[in-house]
Every structure is written in structure tokens, then in C-alpha cells.
């Protein structure tokens, strides 16, 4: 079992590095290339990561490690850097397809003394293209690559004399040589920005980063969110190069087609907000934006931050639990003494699960799963802040019901509010007006849907299906809510996934059975599976049936949520402080004569 020695944003050290790389051998040939990254990389603030050449070691295992780092960095030179490790004959015939395969080594490279053969057993996490996207791959399990490592008469050092016909990059080298960046696209209603992940080479000069980011924005969103967001208008182009920041100003010139309709101040404002969020690590103080032949406009405030729903999340959440069939607030949390949102006191009975959400204008939404005799019923409603509302009843049929979750909570009455709920392993949507449930087709591989979680942007969805983790995008139009074709997230650390929720806008918290033994763990993983840390390495053998987290804002500087809670074997636990079991004493209102065996369950938050 290995654990990343870096946080999800390549920050503080937290674990043990898998592929050595710690310490420099006596005969090392180290080459440092280019200026360092401006953000997201901490191991060498004054330059790019050290690059180890072919002659850096005569140890075969270490040589293979360095070979699996060579494709990292500037994509244009990846093939040439790998060829430097190959023998002349192998280099002459090396013609890999475009893209770099990011691989997780399931075990140390198999090196046999006295033999030139080396065996690599890996799982492919994705393929990194020149556009900075990490594209998913079909889950084929473990792949074995064979290579030959030997010396050549008349030449110093080792060579790869027979290489796989692909560019391979270990996941640990990937997190060293690439910096995760988030670009943003507006949803169809222009109510919120939706994040999209890209990767910048760590050896790219900082002054070149804005140009690359804008190029990615013009190329459009990734396939995962393509159907849920608006691309930039057709004809958008960057006019000239983006100059280096001068006098605290970042200057960008775009074609007149970048704003549609022309001269629409709202369209221009949306564009600059999208640019400012996407270029946020590169902004010093002022963005100067020039569209076509118009006069340039300067933006120097922070008002753009509110366009990202994750930014609008509270620093500390209002926290709820179900106790004795009622929703109760938790003690020592915001609003602990306040009435429940939306719900009238007489409706707070026979509850087994609940979900609360708020719209951009702070309208509140509530969804309750309640019991009526032997049947379960969904009750939904909405109200203004400080107001209460009668809940509407929606009949549920089809099997065991999961935890409801709100997705789209728009202030636009035409869009309304959309929530998601699993019933009998299938996905359904509901709305706040009490209309009947609508089936949401699962466009991925067959399997029972055991968990669904929605990102703060309301469009990206993480699901546990058949024990695997998937990401998809949610769209809501006249045909009803639909999911985009899902992307499976490769998680070599877990054999089976049972629960999931969002931790940041680019990471999720996942619970499941470990790959190395029949024990349960909670991990914090990037949404593409390339980086993870173990929040709890071992919590026993009881399956986690439900997970609830409160995401942190990208402006907080935090890379993991402050609040993670889970349920296993009917009990509720707080992750970050132990785990510690949540009991009756954690309820805001004191409980007298507590019924034997009744414990708090189903934690939730106002999001």
C-alpha cells in the first residue's frame, strides 16, 4: 500500500513516496530546467523540479524510476526526453501515439539479477494530452509492460534497449511535473461557473501560463461537462500574446466575437468573471481586458468571486442529524439555537433522511424522506430565509431509498430546483414543487447506484455504481434531468467504493474497501484519481453506508474539508477528529430520558 507524499494540490507532505526519488545518488546527473511554476508546486520554489538524466544511476531499479519521469514537463519535448533513455536502435523505432499515459505501479518494478528484462505492472489512470486534459481510459485492470535495460559496449551508463511503444509517466512523477489548474465555464443559465481541470507543465515559465489558460478556454470544456456548460462564443480568439504582468496589471486582448451579443454589458461582465476565476493564480491586482477595437476596461475588485458557488459556501456549516425520527441541529455549530430551515415543527416527524440547500439569493430548500406505515415518502418545499413552508408529498416506490441531495437550486422559476435520489439502486430526480419523480437514465456500465453526490456548482455529479466511482454532468431541460456519459475514476487504493461526497471543487471524499486487505478506508482523492491521501487508513470491516462532507472554498487555501462524517453499522462518526462517534450529547437541544439504542444518524448540512 502506498500513500502520496503530497496533498491534493501538491502541498504539504503527508505520507510515504512510492517510487523512491528521495536523496540523490553519488553519481547523479541532475539537470534543472526552466523557471519554476507560479502556484501549486512547493518542492522547489526557485526553479523547476530536478530532472534526472540517463547517466544519473547505474542501479536498474532507480534507472527505471527516472525513465518513468522523463515524459514529465513540457509536452513538446516529451518524446525526445524519453528517447534520451533509449539505445540508438530503440530510439530510432520509438514512435509512440500522442499523449502520455499516467500509470500507477501496483508493485515495485520487477528486476531480476542477471537478466536485462524488467516488468512493470500498472494501472492506467488516464492519458494526458497536449491540451492539458487528462482523458479517461477504459478500465482494463492491471497492464504489464516489458522493457529491457542493459549497458552498451563503448558507451557509459544504462540504456532501455527495448521499450513499450507508449509514453509512460508514473503518477508520482506526474504530480511533480504537472500543476493542476482549474478553468471555468458558465452553466447554461449563466448563474454559476462550473470548474474544469487542466494540467500545466511545472517547467513552464510563469509569464506563459495566462496564454495557455486562455487557449484552453477557447478550445472549450472537457467532455465530462461539455453538455452542461456554455463554451466561449464562436470566433473568440486571443489577439497577440499576453504580456508579462507589469505594474500589477495583466493585459488581455480578445477578438470582438468574444462577447455575444456585441456591446452587451452582461456578456462582457460574464466573460471577465470567467477569465478572472480561470486566471486567478496569475492575477496580481488588475485585469485589463480589451475586446476588439473597444477601449480596454480595467477590473481590480473581488466581486467576481461570487460567481463561483464554492466560494459562497460558509466557512462553518449549519449541521443536522436525525435523532429519534426528527431532524436535530448539532451543538457548537452555526445556527445551533435557530429553528430548522423551511420545515414547520409539526412536519418534523417520522424522518429518516434530510437534505437542505440554498439558492444564490438565499432561498432555502428542504427534502425529507419520511415513513408512513410501511411506506417511505418524499416531502419537499422551499421558503425565503427565516420563513417556513408546507411540504409537498411525493410517493416513493421501487425499493430501498438513499439519501436525497439537492443539485440545481436556481432563482429562475423556469429552471426551478432539482434534486437527486436513489431508489432500489436506480437514480431519480425530484423538484421543490412536489411533482412526481422522474427517472434519470444511467448511461454508464450496469450496476447498482449506491451513492450520489453533487458538487457545489450543481452540475457535476459523483456516483458510486457497482462499487466503482464515476463522474458525470447533470443537465436539466425540457426532457428532464439527464446525466452525461460518465467518466470512471481509477482508484487503485480501493477495491470497492461504497460512499462518496465532494471535498473541494476538484476532489471528493470516498469510502470503500482497501485494495490490499479487507479493511475499510476513507480517502481524499482528486476527481481524476491521480492524487490521494488517506483521511482514515483503517476504520475496521464495517461498510460505510453514507458519507457527508462540507466542501471548502478554493479561496480558503485548504485542500481538504474541515467536516467529514460517515455512517457504518448504524452509527455516525466524525472523521477529522478520530474517528469519533457522534452521540446524543452532540445534539444542540439536550435530551432527557434518551431511548435505549437510539443514536444520531444521517448527518447533513445547509449548502
Amino acid at each position: 500500500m502506498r500513500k502520496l507524499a503530497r496533498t491534493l494540490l501538491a502541498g504539504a507532505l503527508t505520507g510515504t513516496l512510492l517510487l523512491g526519488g528521495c536523496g540523490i545518488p553519488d553519481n547523479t546527473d541532475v539537470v534543472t530546467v526552466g523557471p519554476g511554476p507560479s502556484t501549486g508546486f512547493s518542492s522547489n520554489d526557485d526553479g523547476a523540479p530536478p530532472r534526472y538524466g540517463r547517466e544519473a544511476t547505474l542501479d536498474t531499479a532507480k534507472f527505471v524510476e527516472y525513465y518513468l519521469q522523463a515524459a514529465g514537463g513540457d509536452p513538446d519535448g516529451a518524446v525526445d526526453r524519453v528517447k534520451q533513455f533509449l539505445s540508438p536502435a530503440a530510439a530510432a523505432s520509438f514512435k509512440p501515439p500522442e499523449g502520455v499515459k499516467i500509470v500507477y505501479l501496483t508493485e515495485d518494478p520487477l528486476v531480476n539479477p542477471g537478466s536485462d528484462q524488467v516488468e512493470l505492472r500498472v494501472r492506467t489512470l488516464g492519458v494526458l494530452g497536449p491540451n492539458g486534459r487528462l482523458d479517461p481510459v477504459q478500465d482494463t485492470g492491471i497492464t504489464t509492460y516489458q522493457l529491457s535495460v542493459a549497458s552498451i559496449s563503448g558507451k557509459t551508463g544504462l540504456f532501455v534497449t527495448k521499450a513499450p511503444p507508449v509514453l509512460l509517466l508514473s503518477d508520482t512523477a506526474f504530480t511533480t511535473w504537472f500543476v493542476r489548474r482549474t478553468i471555468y465555464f458558465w452553466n447554461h443559465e449563466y448563474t454559476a461557473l462550473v470548474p474544469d481541470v487542466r494540467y500545466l507543465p511545472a517547467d513552464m515559465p510563469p509569464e506563459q501560463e495566462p496564454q495557455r489558460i486562455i487557449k484552453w478556454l477557447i478550445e472549450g470544456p472537457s467532455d465530462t461537462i461539455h453538455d452542461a456548460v456554455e463554451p466561449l462564443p464562436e470566433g473568440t480568439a486571443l489577439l497577440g500574446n499576453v504580456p508579462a504582468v507589469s505594474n500589477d496589471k495583466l493585459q488581455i486582448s480578445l477578438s470582438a466575437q468574444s462577447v455575444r451579443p456585441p456591446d452587451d454589458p452582461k456578456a462582457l461582465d460574464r466573460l471577465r468573471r470567467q477569465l478572472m476565476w480561470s486566471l486567478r493564480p496569475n492575477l496580481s491586482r488588475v485585469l485589463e481586458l480589451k475586446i476588439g477595437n473597444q477601449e480596454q476596461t480595467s477590473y481590480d475588485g473581488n466581486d467576481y468571486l461570487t460567481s463561483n458557488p464554492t466560494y459562497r459556501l460558509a466557512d462553518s456549516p449549519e449541521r443536522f442529524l436525525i435523532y429519534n425520527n426528527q431532524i436535530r441541529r448539532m451543538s457548537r455549530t452555526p445556527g445551533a439555537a435557530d429553528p430548522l430551515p423551511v420545515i414547520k415543527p409539526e412536519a418534523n416527524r417520522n424522518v429518516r433522511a434530510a437534505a437542505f440547500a440554498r439558492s444564490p439569493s438565499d432561498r432555502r430548500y428542504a427534502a425529507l424522506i419520511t415513513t408512513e406505515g410501511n411506506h417511505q415518502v418524499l416531502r419537499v418545499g422551499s421558503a425565503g430565509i427565516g420563513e417556513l413552508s408546507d411540504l409537498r408529498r411525493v410517493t416513493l416506490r421501487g425499493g430501498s431509498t438513499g439519501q436525497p441531495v439537492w443539485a440545481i437550486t436556481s432563482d429562475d422559476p423556469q429552471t426551478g430546483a432539482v434534486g437527486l435520489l436513489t431508489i432500489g439502486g436506480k437514480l431519480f430526480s425530484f423538484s421543490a414543487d412536489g411533482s412526481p419523480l422522474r427517472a434519470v437514465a444511467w448511461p454508464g456500465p450496469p450496476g447498482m447506484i449506491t451513492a450520489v453526490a453533487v458538487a457545489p456548482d450543481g452540475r457535476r455529479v459523483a456516483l458510486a455504481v457497482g462499487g466503482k466511482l464515476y463522474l458525470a454532468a447533470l443537465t436539466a431541460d425540457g426532457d428532464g434531468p439527464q446525466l452525461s456519459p460518465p467518466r470512471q475514476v481509477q482508484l487503485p487504493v480501493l477495491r470497492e467504493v461504497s460512499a462518496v461526497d465532494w471535498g473541494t471543487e476538484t476532489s471528493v471524499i470516498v469510502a470503500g474497501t482497501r485494495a490490499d486487505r479487507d479493511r475499510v478506508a476513507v480517502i481524499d482523492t482528486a476527481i481524476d484519481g491521480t492524487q490521494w491521501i488517506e483521511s482514515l487508513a483503517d476504520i475496521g470491516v464495517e461498510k460505510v453506508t453514507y458519507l457527508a462532507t462540507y466542501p471548502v472554498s478554493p479561496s480558503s487555501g485548504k485542500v481538504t474539508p474541515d467536516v467529514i462524517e460517515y455512517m457504518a453499522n448504524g452509527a455516525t462518526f466524525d472523521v477529522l477528529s478520530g474517528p469519533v462517534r457522534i452521540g446524543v450529547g452532540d445534539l444542540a437541544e439536550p435530551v432527557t430520558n434518551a431511548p435505549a439504542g437510539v443514536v444520531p444518524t444521517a448527518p447533513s448540512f445547509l449548502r
Side-chain angles (χ1 to χ4, degrees), residues 420-559:
L420 298 175
L421 175 68
T422 60
I423 304 177
K426 297 181 179 180
L427 190 62
F428 295 84
S429 69
F430 59 86
S431 61
D433 61 8
S435 55
L437 297 182
R438 304 181 72 165
V440 180
W442 167 244
M448 296 278 287
I449 302 175
T450 58
V452 57
V454 181
D457 55 74
R459 297 305 190 275
R460 296 174 302 152
V461 181
L463 306 99
V465 184
K468 307 295 183 182
L469 178 63
Y470 293 89
L471 292 181
L474 180 70
T475 59
D477 52 27
D479 296 328
Q482 300 178 25
L483 290 178
S484 66
R487 166 183 182 157
Q488 182 180 345
V489 181
Q490 305 294 332
L491 293 178
V493 69
L494 295 180
R495 182 171 69 246
E496 182 180 24
V497 172
S498 63
V500 61
D501 205 352
W502 289 80
T504 70
E505 63 178 6
T506 60
S507 65
V508 291
I509 309 298
V510 183
T513 305
R514 297 177 65 110
D516 58 348
R517 57 188 184 273
D518 292 328
R519 306 286 288 184
V520 177
V522 177
I523 68 167
D524 189 339
T525 178
I527 56 175
D528 50 27
T530 54
Q531 295 172 279
W532 66 88
I533 55 176
E534 294 172 333
S535 300
L536 289 175
D538 190 335
I539 55 174
V541 297
E542 296 292 344
K543 180 179 180 180
V544 172
T545 55
Y546 171 58
L547 190 64
T549 70
Y550 192 80
V552 292
S553 167
S555 63
S556 69
K558 299 175 181 178
V559 296

Side-chain angles (χ1 to χ4, degrees), residues 167-210:
L167 291 173
L168 299 176
L169 184 68
S170 70
D171 61 327
T172 50
F174 174 68
T175 60
T176 297
W177 279 99
F178 289 92
V179 179
R180 182 182 302 127
R181 287 292 297 266
T182 309
I183 63 175
Y184 296 84
F185 295 90
W186 285 101
N187 63 26
H188 293 314
E189 297 79 33
Y190 296 114
T191 57
L193 289 168
V194 179
D196 204 9
V197 172
R198 296 290 192 278
Y199 286 95
L200 279 172
D203 53 356
M204 172 177 283
E207 59 271 18
Q208 295 180 13
E209 292 178 3

